[in-house]
Amino acid sequence: MASVTEEASVQPGDGGAAARIAVENPATGETIGTVPSLAPDEIAELARRAREAQPAWAALSFEDRGRVLYRAQKWMVDNIERIIDVVTSESGKTHEDAQLADYGYTVGALGFWAKEAEGYLADERVPSWNNPVVAGKRLIIRYAPIGLVGVIGPWNYPIANSFGDCIPALAAGNSVILKPSEVTPLSSLLMAEMMHECGLPDGVFQVATGDGRTGAALIDHVDVLMFTGSTKTGRTVMKAAAERLIPCYLELGGKDPMIVCADADLERAANAAAFYSMNNGGQVCISVERVYVEEPVYDQFVAKVTDNVRALRQGAPAGIGSVDVGAVTFPPQIETVEDHVQDAVQKGARVLVGGHRRPGAGRFYEPTVLVDVDHSMKIMSEETFGPTLPIMKVPDAEEALRLANDTTYGLQASVWTRNVERGEALARRVEAGVVCVNDAQVNYSALNLPMGGWKSSGLGTRHGATGIRKYTKTQSLLVTRLAPKRDLHMFPYSRRRTKALRRLLKFLYGRGKRA
Ligand code: TXE
């Protein structure tokens, strides 16, 4: 076990008076550490430090800030075992799941934002020819750091979905306070230790451990909020942000559909269905949550998926390559998974693989495949967020599309066909923020491709230009160099100048035929 244990102590503001939160290893049931639950006055103190530190950090060049991020990247490379140990031990996920996303995503993101932040945030010149009132003036868009960024994270990816969102905020010149999930706070504390060792000035990045009350207190102090979690809490968070009139970006739940057309590469589609529904124990906001298969290939697809899922090894991770599917990280989540499977079975679904909580130590739910499902069942309409794969037979892709869009969610989706033109055409009709053709989830690694939900799956995006500009204040500059003593539209109004202006407007906008 890594050294972020017992008394996780890199937390500033831990006055010791606050209640402590025990951190459990979900794969073994052991308590592996405790962290403080910060009270509102301690959050206020963190915010004060953050605001004190931010101007000097913002005054550095992109290159200088990038240097700290590059150092952190090297730190991650040098400390890979320790990082993966902390993530696996507090989440119960496999080494491979921790390596691919929490580690792999973040180590790449540090370099990406170090390199790209300047380009995304460079001053932009916009043309002034579109209105005579501003013609010839210099028009500039500037992206200034917003100040203090609050990030509230979930438990499913303790580094990627928490610290990962802090990186562009730091690159943009902000200070950041991260409130990790109370279920998995140790990874974020390790990231704070890393940033400190890599020379980030004190106060620029701080971790505020605690539960929802600590998160609510944080919203009272920040200038912008990035939240990842449930739709229910997302609504609460947005109300609090509205009270303060601060921008708020939300990445919430999903019920991502997979549409398998009859001409798909079935082998690849079946491998992908098993992997993208079960990786990270299915606890992925962009997990394949439901599948629609065109009738001619349904039986073949189900047989392949069933074989794949039956072969999965599950248990407490005991090193690299030891198991395929890990534990259920969040205690109440296993009740949700059980409830969804039982509800489906009661309404006529058949379980082909799994279908039970595993007895013994740790919190595990068997990788589960269900068929004969329909939209009256929770497993097809509510986020399950577990190792389940319900598969539904459809007459054609049009029906699949109708069912795919029959949801309040709209995070991601995938379409599988050898006819990529048709696949892309179908993808454009899916109501989701991201749609992959012959792929799933991997778009998250494309850091220059925005990712965010439609409908109840969220607001705003991470990644790409919008993923860093959301941590800035846009300032527009208009600079006039050469100008007459008095412009045509200024006082005093006169008949002659008004008529001249009117002729100009008619000349500019009144020519040409209209249909
Ligand atoms: O999320 P919450 P939970 C989904 C998944 C899961 C469900 C609930 O379906 O079953 O969400 O998970 C903090 N003000 N996802 O209960 O409550 C909280 O401390 C400010 C999808 O963990 O949304 C934690 O840090 N903050 C998701 C964070 O919000 C508050 C990943 C998320 O908690 C708060 C995980 C408040 N009032 C679960 N209340 C995804 N999109 O990837 C709580 N928090």
Side-chain angles (χ1 to χ4, degrees):
M1 169 56 207
S3 65
V4 178
T5 52
E6 292 305 310
E7 298 290 307
S9 61
V10 282
Q11 174 57 50
D14 171 15
R20 296 191 74 86
I21 297 174
V23 183
E24 180 208 27
N25 181 335
T28 62
E30 288 163 2
T31 298
I32 54 170
T34 65
V35 296
S37 184
L38 296 200
D41 59 327
E42 292 174 295
I43 297 295
E45 175 55 17
L46 294 193
R48 192 195 59 72
R49 284 188 209 182
R51 290 201 183 279
E52 201 172 270
Q54 190 264 333
W57 176 243
L60 294 179
S61 64
F62 282 101
E63 201 182 334
D64 286 342
R65 287 197 295 268
R67 209 166 279 136
V68 176
L69 299 180
Y70 278 127
R71 259 184 251 137
Q73 189 177 49
K74 177 72 168 57
W75 194 99
M76 285 194 79
V77 171
D78 293 341
N79 289 275
I80 179 167
E81 296 299 343
R82 184 174 171 211
I83 295 167
I84 289 178
D85 263 4
V86 172
V87 173
T88 52
S89 62
E90 69 176 350
S91 66
K93 66 173 74 180
T94 67
H95 285 243
E96 286 71 15
D97 288 334
Q99 177 171 299
L100 185 68
D102 288 294
Y103 181 84
Y105 169 88
T106 312
V107 74
L110 284 162
F112 177 84
W113 293 112
K115 181 164 175 282
E116 304 296 340
E118 183 165 15
Y120 285 135
L121 302 184
D123 282 2
E124 279 176 44
R125 284 284 299 272
V126 293
S128 63
W129 45 256
N130 51 14
N131 192 304
V133 174
V134 291
K137 297 175 192 294
R138 215 147 67 92
L139 306 182
I140 301 159
I141 304 169
R142 173 189 167 227
Y143 299 100
I146 199 161
L148 174 53
V149 175
V151 175
I152 298 180
W155 43 262
N156 60 334
Y157 284 110
I159 295 184
N161 270 352
S162 290
F163 181 67
D165 282 320
C166 304
I167 303 168
L170 291 169
N174 298 289
S175 54
V176 179
I177 300 178
L178 165 63
K179 207 300 278 177
S181 168
E182 56 273 38
V183 183
T184 54
L186 301 180
S187 307
S188 292
L189 293 171
L190 183 60
M191 293 295 100
E193 185 182 325
M194 169 179 87
M195 296 312 288
H196 177 73
E197 281 187 20
C198 292
L200 188 74
D202 284 350
V204 173
F205 174 66
Q206 301 172 92
V207 175
T209 53
D211 59 17
R213 288 164 296 185
T214 306
L218 179 61
I219 302 172
D220 287 340
H221 294 278
V222 296
D223 300 316
V224 60
L225 184 77
M226 174 68 211
F227 171 86
T228 306
S230 63
T231 298
K232 183 166 173 275
T233 305
R235 284 202 175 92
T236 308
V237 158
M238 193 166 172
K239 280 183 199 150
E243 279 300 320
R244 292 208 48 238
L245 273 181
I246 58 163
C248 164
Y249 299 92
L250 308 169
E251 202 262 81
L252 309 173
K255 192 72 195 170
D256 297 1
M258 174 181 194
I259 298 176
V260 182
C261 299
D263 67 347
D265 176 342
L266 278 197
E267 198 68 42
R268 175 169 170 77
N271 288 337
F275 180 74
Y276 291 115
S277 63
M278 305 291 164
N279 69 323
N280 213 49
Q283 302 159 116
V284 189
C285 51
I286 52 175
S287 171
V288 169
E289 281 257 333
R290 53 197 169 118
V291 187
Y292 304 98
V293 190
E294 282 191 317
E295 200 166 1
V297 294
Y298 172 82
D299 288 339
Q300 217 183 330
F301 178 83
V302 169
K304 282 181 190 294
V305 170
T306 306
D307 283 350
N308 282 342
V309 174
R310 199 169 277 132
L312 295 175
R313 300 159 301 159
Q314 187 179 42
I320 296 169
S322 56
V323 283
D324 302 305
V325 181
V328 176
T329 305
F330 183 49
Q333 199 65 41
I334 199 154
E335 321 287 342
T336 304
V337 178
E338 277 187 321
D339 176 46
H340 286 196
V341 172
Q342 279 165 15
D343 170 75
V345 170
Q346 273 161 20
K347 290 174 180 163
R350 274 186 303 132
V351 173
L352 299 186
V353 188
H356 303 99
R357 184 196 282 245
R358 267 177 38 142
R363 189 165 48 246
F364 293 93
Y365 196 90
E366 295 170 346
T368 298
V369 178
L370 296 116
V371 292
D372 298 344
V373 289
D374 63 47
H375 277 214
S376 72
M377 302 169 184
K378 292 180 192 174
I379 202 132
M380 293 300 278
S381 59
E382 295 176 20
E383 185 172 52
T384 309
F385 221 65
T388 53
L389 187 63
I391 310 175
M392 186 168 173
K393 189 195 297 184
V394 289
D396 53 34
E398 283 302 316
E399 178 63 0
L401 198 60
R402 189 188 70 73
L403 290 165
N405 289 334
D406 177 30
T407 171
T408 55
Y409 290 115
L411 196 53
Q412 290 220 168
S414 63
V415 178
W416 301 76
T417 168
R418 281 198 171 89
N419 181 343
V420 289
E421 283 75 28
R422 179 173 174 240
E424 199 181 315
L426 284 168
R428 286 168 188 267
R429 294 169 61 203
V430 180
E431 292 160 14
V434 179
V435 189
C436 299
V437 176
N438 297 324
D439 240 311
Q441 278 187 27
V442 289
N443 58 284
Y444 203 92
S445 305
L447 291 168
N448 47 2
L449 187 67
M451 181 267 165
W454 289 5
K455 303 200 274 187
S456 298
S457 286
L459 270 183
T461 56
R462 52 162 69 94
H463 303 160
T466 46
I468 187 164
R469 288 181 185 162
K470 71 185 180 196
Y471 297 131
T472 65
K473 301 178 275 209
T474 305
Q475 186 175 53
S476 297
L477 300 168
L478 181 151
V479 180
T480 300
R481 284 167 194 262
L482 296 170
K485 299 282 180 237
R486 188 167 63 199
D487 289 328
L488 206 57
H489 58 270
M490 287 181 183
F491 291 136
Y493 292 155
S494 82
R495 200 177 159 73
R496 189 175 59 82
R497 282 193 292 134
T498 301
K499 285 205 154 178
L501 269 176
R502 193 170 290 182
R503 278 196 300 277
L504 177 63
L505 291 171
K506 187 174 177 191
F507 173 75
L508 290 173
Y509 307 123
R511 286 172 300 156
K513 290 196 176 124
R514 309 287 152 97

